Amino acid sequence: MKKKLVISTGAGMSAESGLSTFRDSGGLWDNYPVMDVASADGFARNPELVHEFYNKRRKELVKASPNEGHKALVELEKWYDTFVITQNVDDLHERAGSNYVLHLHGELMKIRSMRDESRVYQLDKDALETSVDTRDEHGDPVRPHIVFFQESVPNFEMAVELAEQADIFVVIGTSLVVYPAAALLNYVRKGIPVYYIDPNPAPVPPGVTVLKMRATEGVRKLVELLHP
């Protein structure tokens, strides 16, 4: 029976694919006030701006490709039951071939009904743009399928279950300051091997193996370390 490998990824996972991170110098928050484009209040105040912001993000995403780090994580599925929990809203893990990806903060390539949040729609790369005038098949207005600031994280309980079940836990490309995702480390059982890959790692508890590397280099090293 394969061991369960649970991997939590943040913005640094996709940075080498050319996608802007939010908090680094020159990142998205330098150009857009966060509460204007990524909060529930901001969407209520100026939905057109929010639609425009995510339209731009989608156009960037379809031009991007999974990097070697995304691809190397797929190799681990040969030896482990591998589960990716990601804070990222891109679809690069899926495009690289990862079979199980849980998105904590939503998915950029999806929209949903504002009247029934269970109605979620996949966007086509040839029809990426939405606006306040966009309607779904039921005539309802839509919004980005994104978890805004000020909203709960609906998949967090499922992420906690995965962290609790992990036989090996890995954190990649995150500053460990975004909650609740940063709290997942607290749910990993004592004695379970934990690896943390980041070029600028945050302080972590004793016993965590820190690989001070970018995602592509760090995941290659991880594959070496976890090869049976």
Side-chain angles (χ1 to χ4, degrees):
M1 188 173 175
K2 291 181 178 178
K3 288 185 175 181
K4 180 172 284 191
L5 170 63
V6 179
I7 302 161
S8 175
T9 67
M13 187 77 232
S14 297
E16 291 173 86
S17 290
L19 295 182
S20 300
T21 58
F22 285 85
R23 287 175 170 76
D24 290 343
S25 177
L28 292 174
W29 292 159
D30 286 355
N31 300 315
Y32 292 90
V34 57
M35 298 309 281
D36 286 353
V37 296
S39 73
D41 283 349
F43 185 68
R45 193 166 53 241
N46 191 346
E48 191 60 63
L49 176 66
V50 176
H51 278 283
E52 178 186 313
F53 176 77
Y54 287 102
N55 288 341
K56 289 178 180 176
R57 302 287 75 72
R58 292 185 198 108
K59 289 175 184 175
E60 291 176 358
L61 176 55
V62 296
K63 293 176 185 174
S65 299
N67 61 51
E68 293 305 310
H70 292 106
K71 295 173 185 175
L73 288 182
V74 181
E75 286 183 46
L76 294 166
E77 295 190 10
K78 293 185 288 190
W79 310 309
Y80 299 94
D81 280 333
T82 305
F83 299 83
V84 176
I85 303 165
T86 187
Q87 298 174 53
N88 299 336
V89 296
D90 62 62
D91 59 357
L92 297 180
H93 282 299
E94 289 92 339
R95 282 159 55 190
S98 287
N99 281 303
Y100 185 94
V101 183
L102 180 69
H103 286 268
L104 288 182
H105 297 158
E107 297 179 65
L108 190 53
M109 292 299 289
K110 293 180 179 179
I111 56 175
R112 71 173 186 261
S113 164
M114 291 179 61
R115 293 213 172 95
D116 181 351
E117 64 181 25
S118 69
R119 292 206 300 263
V120 178
Y121 306 93
Q122 178 77 38
L123 291 173
D124 185 273
K125 62 183 176 62
D126 297 318
L128 296 172
E129 296 199 4
T130 62
S131 73
V132 292
D133 297 319
T134 303
R135 296 292 182 269
D136 69 5
E137 59 196 3
H138 299 274
D140 294 340
V142 299
R143 55 163 280 178
H145 187 48
I146 299 291
V147 177
F148 293 142
F149 287 102
Q150 303 167 323
E151 295 180 333
S152 62
V153 179
N155 284 336
F156 185 66
E157 287 185 15
M158 200 179 306
V160 166
E161 288 180 19
L162 288 171
E164 289 173 337
Q165 296 164 4
D167 297 308
I168 303 169
F169 192 78
V170 180
V171 179
I172 305 172
T174 173
S175 58
L176 293 175
V177 298
V178 179
Y179 283 82
L184 288 175
L185 268 176
N186 300 331
Y187 294 94
V188 178
R189 289 170 291 152
K190 286 185 179 178
I192 294 298
V194 177
Y195 299 85
Y196 177 30
I197 299 168
D198 196 273
N200 300 294
V204 289
V208 174
T209 300
V210 177
L211 302 176
K212 192 176 180 180
M213 303 171 181
R214 294 189 303 172
T216 51
E217 182 186 5
V219 176
R220 281 197 297 272
K221 182 65 176 176
L222 182 73
V223 171
E224 289 177 18
L225 292 171
L226 296 185
H227 194 300

